[in-house]
Amino acid sequence: MVLQNCASAGIWSPTDLAILQRVVDRVCKERNTRPDSDDATDTAIRILYFYERGMTDEESLYSAATGRLGEARAA
């Protein structure tokens, strides 16, 4: 999986990876997506995109990954 490859490359800290993994797992569970699927990889890449641009809050990442970012900001 994308996050495991990043971990072995030492790109992010264990804390960063834990946040990212929780969001990926949550989105995949909600969508009934297998962790080793192309959809899960696409989800991880999307989450990484937002994380690298400074979105580090777990709920915001989840909202961005699921297309609910506007809802999170309005709440």
Side-chain angles (χ1 to χ4, degrees), residues 4 13 16 20-21 26-27 29-30 35-36 38-41 45 47 51 53-55 59 61-62 74-75:
Q4 292 168 342
S13 73
D16 295 330
L20 295 165
Q21 189 66 60
R26 183 175 170 193
V27 173
K29 182 178 180 182
E30 179 180 286
D36 60 344
D38 288 341
D39 287 340
T41 298
I45 290 169
I47 292 165
Y51 195 83
R53 281 150 187 80
M55 186 181 291
E59 281 303 311
L61 286 167
Y62 171 77

Side-chain angles (χ1 to χ4, degrees), residues 10-69:
I11 296 173
W12 290 288
S13 73
T15 302
D16 295 330
L17 289 171
I19 290 168
L20 295 165
Q21 189 66 60
R22 281 194 301 270
V23 176
V24 170
D25 291 345
R26 183 175 170 193
V27 173
C28 287
K29 182 178 180 182
E30 179 180 286
R31 294 179 178 169
N32 294 317
T33 302
R34 287 190 348 259
D36 60 344
S37 69
D38 288 341
D39 287 340
T41 298
D42 291 343
T43 296
I45 290 169
R46 181 179 174 102
I47 292 165
L48 288 170
Y49 172 86
F50 290 111
Y51 195 83
E52 288 180 333
R53 281 150 187 80
M55 186 181 291
T56 57
D57 174 73
E58 201 166 319
E59 281 303 311
S60 294
L61 286 167
Y62 171 77
S63 296
T66 57
R68 299 176 183 148
L69 190 55

